[in-house]
PDB file of all heavy atoms in Angstrom:
ATOM      1  N   PRO A  23      14.111 -14.798  -5.278  1.00  0.00           N
ATOM      2  CA  PRO A  23      15.442 -14.392  -4.798  1.00  0.00           C
ATOM      3  C   PRO A  23      15.489 -12.943  -4.307  1.00  0.00           C
ATOM      4  O   PRO A  23      16.167 -12.645  -3.319  1.00  0.00           O
ATOM      5  CB  PRO A  23      16.332 -14.599  -6.022  1.00  0.00           C
ATOM      6  CG  PRO A  23      15.619 -15.613  -6.853  1.00  0.00           C
ATOM      7  CD  PRO A  23      14.166 -15.316  -6.661  1.00  0.00           C
ATOM      8  N   VAL A  24      14.776 -12.053  -5.005  1.00  0.00           N
ATOM      9  CA  VAL A  24      14.738 -10.650  -4.579  1.00  0.00           C
ATOM     10  C   VAL A  24      14.006 -10.526  -3.244  1.00  0.00           C
ATOM     11  O   VAL A  24      14.428  -9.793  -2.343  1.00  0.00           O
ATOM     12  CB  VAL A  24      14.057  -9.775  -5.650  1.00  0.00           C
ATOM     13  CG1 VAL A  24      14.059  -8.311  -5.226  1.00  0.00           C
ATOM     14  CG2 VAL A  24      14.745  -9.943  -6.995  1.00  0.00           C
ATOM     15  N   ALA A  25      12.890 -11.265  -3.111  1.00  0.00           N
ATOM     16  CA  ALA A  25      12.126 -11.236  -1.863  1.00  0.00           C
ATOM     17  C   ALA A  25      12.951 -11.767  -0.702  1.00  0.00           C
ATOM     18  O   ALA A  25      12.953 -11.183   0.395  1.00  0.00           O
ATOM     19  CB  ALA A  25      10.846 -12.052  -2.023  1.00  0.00           C
ATOM     20  N   VAL A  26      13.669 -12.853  -0.926  1.00  0.00           N
ATOM     21  CA  VAL A  26      14.479 -13.448   0.145  1.00  0.00           C
ATOM     22  C   VAL A  26      15.563 -12.480   0.602  1.00  0.00           C
ATOM     23  O   VAL A  26      15.774 -12.278   1.807  1.00  0.00           O
ATOM     24  CB  VAL A  26      15.097 -14.777  -0.328  1.00  0.00           C
ATOM     25  CG1 VAL A  26      16.132 -15.279   0.674  1.00  0.00           C
ATOM     26  CG2 VAL A  26      14.011 -15.838  -0.519  1.00  0.00           C
ATOM     27  N   LYS A  27      16.265 -11.866  -0.348  1.00  0.00           N
ATOM     28  CA  LYS A  27      17.334 -10.931   0.011  1.00  0.00           C
ATOM     29  C   LYS A  27      16.811  -9.786   0.868  1.00  0.00           C
ATOM     30  O   LYS A  27      17.473  -9.340   1.811  1.00  0.00           O
ATOM     31  CB  LYS A  27      17.993 -10.365  -1.250  1.00  0.00           C
ATOM     32  CG  LYS A  27      19.041  -9.283  -0.944  1.00  0.00           C
ATOM     33  CD  LYS A  27      19.613  -8.697  -2.211  1.00  0.00           C
ATOM     34  CE  LYS A  27      20.561  -7.533  -1.902  1.00  0.00           C
ATOM     35  NZ  LYS A  27      21.768  -7.954  -1.170  1.00  0.00           N
ATOM     36  N   HIS A  28      15.602  -9.306   0.546  1.00  0.00           N
ATOM     37  CA  HIS A  28      15.057  -8.127   1.214  1.00  0.00           C
ATOM     38  C   HIS A  28      14.051  -8.482   2.318  1.00  0.00           C
ATOM     39  O   HIS A  28      13.307  -7.616   2.788  1.00  0.00           O
ATOM     40  CB  HIS A  28      14.421  -7.192   0.181  1.00  0.00           C
ATOM     41  CG  HIS A  28      15.392  -6.666  -0.820  1.00  0.00           C
ATOM     42  ND1 HIS A  28      15.603  -7.268  -2.041  1.00  0.00           N
ATOM     43  CD2 HIS A  28      16.239  -5.603  -0.782  1.00  0.00           C
ATOM     44  CE1 HIS A  28      16.522  -6.587  -2.719  1.00  0.00           C
ATOM     45  NE2 HIS A  28      16.917  -5.575  -1.973  1.00  0.00           N
ATOM     46  N   ARG A  29      14.019  -9.754   2.678  1.00  0.00           N
ATOM     47  CA  ARG A  29      13.166 -10.239   3.772  1.00  0.00           C
ATOM     48  C   ARG A  29      11.692  -9.895   3.532  1.00  0.00           C
ATOM     49  O   ARG A  29      10.981  -9.451   4.425  1.00  0.00           O
ATOM     50  CB  ARG A  29      13.643  -9.671   5.119  1.00  0.00           C
ATOM     51  CG  ARG A  29      15.095  -9.988   5.424  1.00  0.00           C
ATOM     52  CD  ARG A  29      15.525  -9.496   6.794  1.00  0.00           C
ATOM     53  NE  ARG A  29      15.334  -8.060   6.943  1.00  0.00           N
ATOM     54  CZ  ARG A  29      16.202  -7.155   6.517  1.00  0.00           C
ATOM     55  NH1 ARG A  29      17.310  -7.534   5.881  1.00  0.00           N
ATOM     56  NH2 ARG A  29      15.980  -5.872   6.699  1.00  0.00           N
ATOM     57  N   LEU A  30      11.247 -10.122   2.283  1.00  0.00           N
ATOM     58  CA  LEU A  30       9.862  -9.870   1.913  1.00  0.00           C
ATOM     59  C   LEU A  30       9.122 -11.190   1.760  1.00  0.00           C
ATOM     60  O   LEU A  30       9.733 -12.221   1.453  1.00  0.00           O
ATOM     61  CB  LEU A  30       9.802  -9.081   0.604  1.00  0.00           C
ATOM     62  CG  LEU A  30      10.553  -7.752   0.570  1.00  0.00           C
ATOM     63  CD1 LEU A  30      10.474  -7.145  -0.829  1.00  0.00           C
ATOM     64  CD2 LEU A  30      10.025  -6.784   1.617  1.00  0.00           C
ATOM     65  N   ASN A  31       7.837 -11.147   1.932  1.00  0.00           N
ATOM     66  CA  ASN A  31       6.999 -12.341   1.825  1.00  0.00           C
ATOM     67  C   ASN A  31       6.424 -12.435   0.420  1.00  0.00           C
ATOM     68  O   ASN A  31       5.576 -11.629   0.039  1.00  0.00           O
ATOM     69  CB  ASN A  31       5.877 -12.282   2.863  1.00  0.00           C
ATOM     70  CG  ASN A  31       5.067 -13.571   2.923  1.00  0.00           C
ATOM     71  OD1 ASN A  31       5.174 -14.430   2.049  1.00  0.00           O
ATOM     72  ND2 ASN A  31       4.256 -13.708   3.956  1.00  0.00           N
ATOM     73  N   ASP A  32       6.871 -13.448  -0.355  1.00  0.00           N
ATOM     74  CA  ASP A  32       6.387 -13.535  -1.729  1.00  0.00           C
ATOM     75  C   ASP A  32       4.942 -14.017  -1.822  1.00  0.00           C
ATOM     76  O   ASP A  32       4.384 -14.101  -2.912  1.00  0.00           O
ATOM     77  CB  ASP A  32       7.297 -14.406  -2.584  1.00  0.00           C
ATOM     78  CG  ASP A  32       7.340 -15.856  -2.137  1.00  0.00           C
ATOM     79  OD1 ASP A  32       6.717 -16.190  -1.111  1.00  0.00           O
ATOM     80  OD2 ASP A  32       7.982 -16.671  -2.825  1.00  0.00           O
ATOM     81  N   GLU A  33       4.331 -14.312  -0.681  1.00  0.00           N
ATOM     82  CA  GLU A  33       2.898 -14.629  -0.684  1.00  0.00           C
ATOM     83  C   GLU A  33       2.073 -13.388  -1.022  1.00  0.00           C
ATOM     84  O   GLU A  33       0.898 -13.498  -1.374  1.00  0.00           O
ATOM     85  CB  GLU A  33       2.471 -15.193   0.675  1.00  0.00           C
ATOM     86  CG  GLU A  33       3.051 -16.565   0.985  1.00  0.00           C
ATOM     87  CD  GLU A  33       2.636 -17.614  -0.043  1.00  0.00           C
ATOM     88  OE1 GLU A  33       1.443 -17.628  -0.432  1.00  0.00           O
ATOM     89  OE2 GLU A  33       3.504 -18.394  -0.476  1.00  0.00           O
ATOM     90  N   TYR A  34       2.695 -12.206  -0.902  1.00  0.00           N
ATOM     91  CA  TYR A  34       1.997 -10.959  -1.219  1.00  0.00           C
ATOM     92  C   TYR A  34       2.188 -10.558  -2.683  1.00  0.00           C
ATOM     93  O   TYR A  34       2.033  -9.386  -3.029  1.00  0.00           O
ATOM     94  CB  TYR A  34       2.477  -9.834  -0.305  1.00  0.00           C
ATOM     95  CG  TYR A  34       2.051 -10.022   1.130  1.00  0.00           C
ATOM     96  CD1 TYR A  34       2.977 -10.351   2.109  1.00  0.00           C
ATOM     97  CD2 TYR A  34       0.716  -9.889   1.507  1.00  0.00           C
ATOM     98  CE1 TYR A  34       2.591 -10.539   3.432  1.00  0.00           C
ATOM     99  CE2 TYR A  34       0.317 -10.077   2.823  1.00  0.00           C
ATOM    100  CZ  TYR A  34       1.256 -10.405   3.774  1.00  0.00           C
ATOM    101  OH  TYR A  34       0.874 -10.589   5.081  1.00  0.00           O
ATOM    102  N   LEU A  35       2.515 -11.516  -3.532  1.00  0.00           N
ATOM    103  CA  LEU A  35       2.625 -11.256  -4.957  1.00  0.00           C
ATOM    104  C   LEU A  35       1.223 -11.259  -5.561  1.00  0.00           C
ATOM    105  O   LEU A  35       0.520 -12.267  -5.533  1.00  0.00           O
ATOM    106  CB  LEU A  35       3.489 -12.330  -5.623  1.00  0.00           C
ATOM    107  CG  LEU A  35       3.829 -12.102  -7.092  1.00  0.00           C
ATOM    108  CD1 LEU A  35       4.765 -10.904  -7.254  1.00  0.00           C
ATOM    109  CD2 LEU A  35       4.467 -13.356  -7.701  1.00  0.00           C
ATOM    110  N   ASP A  36       0.824 -10.110  -6.097  1.00  0.00           N
ATOM    111  CA  ASP A  36      -0.498  -9.965  -6.700  1.00  0.00           C
ATOM    112  C   ASP A  36      -0.388  -9.991  -8.219  1.00  0.00           C
ATOM    113  O   ASP A  36       0.539  -9.412  -8.798  1.00  0.00           O
ATOM    114  CB  ASP A  36      -1.152  -8.649  -6.267  1.00  0.00           C
ATOM    115  CG  ASP A  36      -1.799  -8.741  -4.899  1.00  0.00           C
ATOM    116  OD1 ASP A  36      -1.747  -9.831  -4.293  1.00  0.00           O
ATOM    117  OD2 ASP A  36      -2.336  -7.724  -4.431  1.00  0.00           O
ATOM    118  N   PHE A  37      -1.350 -10.649  -8.854  1.00  0.00           N
ATOM    119  CA  PHE A  37      -1.350 -10.769 -10.312  1.00  0.00           C
ATOM    120  C   PHE A  37      -2.390  -9.830 -10.917  1.00  0.00           C
ATOM    121  O   PHE A  37      -3.483  -9.666 -10.386  1.00  0.00           O
ATOM    122  CB  PHE A  37      -1.638 -12.218 -10.723  1.00  0.00           C
ATOM    123  CG  PHE A  37      -0.532 -13.160 -10.343  1.00  0.00           C
ATOM    124  CD1 PHE A  37      -0.531 -13.796  -9.111  1.00  0.00           C
ATOM    125  CD2 PHE A  37       0.523 -13.392 -11.211  1.00  0.00           C
ATOM    126  CE1 PHE A  37       0.503 -14.646  -8.752  1.00  0.00           C
ATOM    127  CE2 PHE A  37       1.559 -14.243 -10.869  1.00  0.00           C
ATOM    128  CZ  PHE A  37       1.551 -14.875  -9.632  1.00  0.00           C
ATOM    129  N   PHE A  38      -2.010  -9.241 -12.035  1.00  0.00           N
ATOM    130  CA  PHE A  38      -2.873  -8.307 -12.746  1.00  0.00           C
ATOM    131  C   PHE A  38      -3.057  -8.823 -14.168  1.00  0.00           C
ATOM    132  O   PHE A  38      -2.088  -8.967 -14.911  1.00  0.00           O
ATOM    133  CB  PHE A  38      -2.255  -6.900 -12.749  1.00  0.00           C
ATOM    134  CG  PHE A  38      -2.072  -6.339 -11.363  1.00  0.00           C
ATOM    135  CD1 PHE A  38      -0.934  -6.643 -10.629  1.00  0.00           C
ATOM    136  CD2 PHE A  38      -3.045  -5.539 -10.792  1.00  0.00           C
ATOM    137  CE1 PHE A  38      -0.760  -6.131  -9.345  1.00  0.00           C
ATOM    138  CE2 PHE A  38      -2.881  -5.022  -9.511  1.00  0.00           C
ATOM    139  CZ  PHE A  38      -1.740  -5.322  -8.783  1.00  0.00           C
ATOM    140  N   GLY A  39      -4.296  -9.106 -14.530  1.00  0.00           N
ATOM    141  CA  GLY A  39      -4.555  -9.726 -15.811  1.00  0.00           C
ATOM    142  C   GLY A  39      -4.208 -11.203 -15.776  1.00  0.00           C
ATOM    143  O   GLY A  39      -3.851 -11.766 -14.735  1.00  0.00           O
ATOM    144  N   ASP A  40      -4.293 -11.834 -16.910  1.00  0.00           N
ATOM    145  CA  ASP A  40      -4.004 -13.263 -17.028  1.00  0.00           C
ATOM    146  C   ASP A  40      -2.507 -13.456 -17.249  1.00  0.00           C
ATOM    147  O   ASP A  40      -1.970 -13.036 -18.278  1.00  0.00           O
ATOM    148  CB  ASP A  40      -4.787 -13.837 -18.213  1.00  0.00           C
ATOM    149  CG  ASP A  40      -4.555 -15.334 -18.399  1.00  0.00           C
ATOM    150  OD1 ASP A  40      -3.782 -15.924 -17.619  1.00  0.00           O
ATOM    151  OD2 ASP A  40      -5.163 -15.904 -19.322  1.00  0.00           O
ATOM    152  N   PRO A  41      -1.794 -14.075 -16.300  1.00  0.00           N
ATOM    153  CA  PRO A  41      -0.342 -14.259 -16.467  1.00  0.00           C
ATOM    154  C   PRO A  41       0.032 -14.997 -17.741  1.00  0.00           C
ATOM    155  O   PRO A  41       1.126 -14.791 -18.281  1.00  0.00           O
ATOM    156  CB  PRO A  41       0.056 -15.064 -15.222  1.00  0.00           C
ATOM    157  CG  PRO A  41      -1.009 -14.803 -14.226  1.00  0.00           C
ATOM    158  CD  PRO A  41      -2.274 -14.621 -15.019  1.00  0.00           C
ATOM    159  N   GLU A  42      -0.868 -15.852 -18.232  1.00  0.00           N
ATOM    160  CA  GLU A  42      -0.567 -16.610 -19.446  1.00  0.00           C
ATOM    161  C   GLU A  42      -0.725 -15.778 -20.707  1.00  0.00           C
ATOM    162  O   GLU A  42      -0.252 -16.162 -21.780  1.00  0.00           O
ATOM    163  CB  GLU A  42      -1.493 -17.837 -19.542  1.00  0.00           C
ATOM    164  CG  GLU A  42      -1.396 -18.805 -18.387  1.00  0.00           C
ATOM    165  CD  GLU A  42      -0.051 -19.513 -18.321  1.00  0.00           C
ATOM    166  OE1 GLU A  42       0.625 -19.590 -19.377  1.00  0.00           O
ATOM    167  OE2 GLU A  42       0.332 -19.977 -17.235  1.00  0.00           O
ATOM    168  N   ASN A  43      -1.370 -14.625 -20.588  1.00  0.00           N
ATOM    169  CA  ASN A  43      -1.664 -13.796 -21.765  1.00  0.00           C
ATOM    170  C   ASN A  43      -1.313 -12.330 -21.521  1.00  0.00           C
ATOM    171  O   ASN A  43      -2.164 -11.440 -21.608  1.00  0.00           O
ATOM    172  CB  ASN A  43      -3.140 -13.921 -22.151  1.00  0.00           C
ATOM    173  CG  ASN A  43      -3.492 -15.314 -22.647  1.00  0.00           C
ATOM    174  OD1 ASN A  43      -3.100 -15.704 -23.740  1.00  0.00           O
ATOM    175  ND2 ASN A  43      -4.220 -16.063 -21.828  1.00  0.00           N
ATOM    176  N   GLY A  44      -0.071 -12.091 -21.188  1.00  0.00           N
ATOM    177  CA  GLY A  44       0.409 -10.719 -21.043  1.00  0.00           C
ATOM    178  C   GLY A  44       0.203 -10.104 -19.675  1.00  0.00           C
ATOM    179  O   GLY A  44       0.544  -8.935 -19.479  1.00  0.00           O
ATOM    180  N   GLY A  45      -0.368 -10.845 -18.717  1.00  0.00           N
ATOM    181  CA  GLY A  45      -0.526 -10.317 -17.372  1.00  0.00           C
ATOM    182  C   GLY A  45       0.817 -10.190 -16.669  1.00  0.00           C
ATOM    183  O   GLY A  45       1.845 -10.684 -17.139  1.00  0.00           O
ATOM    184  N   TYR A  46       0.806  -9.511 -15.525  1.00  0.00           N
ATOM    185  CA  TYR A  46       2.050  -9.305 -14.777  1.00  0.00           C
ATOM    186  C   TYR A  46       1.767  -9.434 -13.292  1.00  0.00           C
ATOM    187  O   TYR A  46       0.612  -9.607 -12.866  1.00  0.00           O
ATOM    188  CB  TYR A  46       2.656  -7.936 -15.098  1.00  0.00           C
ATOM    189  CG  TYR A  46       1.792  -6.770 -14.671  1.00  0.00           C
ATOM    190  CD1 TYR A  46       1.965  -6.145 -13.440  1.00  0.00           C
ATOM    191  CD2 TYR A  46       0.798  -6.277 -15.515  1.00  0.00           C
ATOM    192  CE1 TYR A  46       1.173  -5.082 -13.047  1.00  0.00           C
ATOM    193  CE2 TYR A  46      -0.008  -5.212 -15.131  1.00  0.00           C
ATOM    194  CZ  TYR A  46       0.190  -4.622 -13.900  1.00  0.00           C
ATOM    195  OH  TYR A  46      -0.606  -3.564 -13.517  1.00  0.00           O
ATOM    196  N   ALA A  47       2.821  -9.342 -12.483  1.00  0.00           N
ATOM    197  CA  ALA A  47       2.675  -9.493 -11.046  1.00  0.00           C
ATOM    198  C   ALA A  47       3.517  -8.449 -10.317  1.00  0.00           C
ATOM    199  O   ALA A  47       4.602  -8.078 -10.784  1.00  0.00           O
ATOM    200  CB  ALA A  47       3.114 -10.896 -10.612  1.00  0.00           C
ATOM    201  N   SER A  48       3.007  -7.962  -9.190  1.00  0.00           N
ATOM    202  CA  SER A  48       3.737  -7.012  -8.349  1.00  0.00           C
ATOM    203  C   SER A  48       3.705  -7.494  -6.908  1.00  0.00           C
ATOM    204  O   SER A  48       2.682  -7.997  -6.428  1.00  0.00           O
ATOM    205  CB  SER A  48       3.129  -5.614  -8.437  1.00  0.00           C
ATOM    206  OG  SER A  48       3.457  -4.981  -9.651  1.00  0.00           O
ATOM    207  N   LEU A  49       4.826  -7.329  -6.242  1.00  0.00           N
ATOM    208  CA  LEU A  49       4.939  -7.722  -4.842  1.00  0.00           C
ATOM    209  C   LEU A  49       4.599  -6.521  -3.971  1.00  0.00           C
ATOM    210  O   LEU A  49       5.168  -5.445  -4.133  1.00  0.00           O
ATOM    211  CB  LEU A  49       6.364  -8.203  -4.556  1.00  0.00           C
ATOM    212  CG  LEU A  49       6.625  -8.844  -3.202  1.00  0.00           C
ATOM    213  CD1 LEU A  49       5.785 -10.099  -3.012  1.00  0.00           C
ATOM    214  CD2 LEU A  49       8.107  -9.176  -3.055  1.00  0.00           C
TER     215      LEU A  49
END
């Protein structure tokens, strides 16, 4: 929803660490 509002491509979401075990993601 944030990406859509700001006309950003969520395909550029990068993951850091394992998302299942405390990892996170940044666009």
Side-chain angles (χ1 to χ4, degrees):
V24 182
V26 170
K27 175 183 175 65
H28 298 94
R29 304 184 302 277
L30 304 176
N31 187 347
D32 64 356
E33 292 300 317
Y34 291 109
L35 187 68
D36 279 359
F37 293 90
F38 299 85
D40 181 359
E42 301 293 337
N43 293 288
Y46 64 94
S48 285
L49 189 61

